[in-house]
Amino acid sequence: MEKEKHLGLRIDAETHQKLKSLAEFDGRSINGEVLYLIRQAIIQHEQQQGTLK
């Protein structure tokens, strides 16, 4: 099994606070919320443009 990858991300304080609020609203950690949003973006892209490699 492939190991998980680490992604460092720099964001401004306002975006961080809003992301934290969104994550709490959805019952997720900030990391979980970021993964959810990325996965949703991939799904949306693939529905419109086809499967990514």
Side-chain angles (χ1 to χ4, degrees):
M1 181 183 351
E2 186 174 331
K3 294 177 75 175
E4 292 183 355
K5 303 293 183 182
H6 175 81
L7 175 66
L9 179 65
R10 291 190 184 111
I11 58 173
D12 61 87
E14 181 181 359
T15 301
H16 182 271
Q17 183 55 50
K18 289 182 179 186
L19 181 60
K20 181 179 177 186
S21 295
L22 183 61
E24 289 172 356
F25 180 82
D26 290 336
R28 298 184 183 99
S29 66
I30 293 176
N31 187 73
E33 188 70 19
V34 170
L35 286 173
Y36 173 78
L37 293 169
I38 291 170
R39 289 176 179 140
Q40 291 303 305
I42 291 170
I43 288 168
Q44 182 179 4
H45 177 85
E46 288 187 327
Q47 287 174 342
Q48 294 173 357
Q49 304 296 324
T51 303
L52 294 166
K53 292 182 183 182

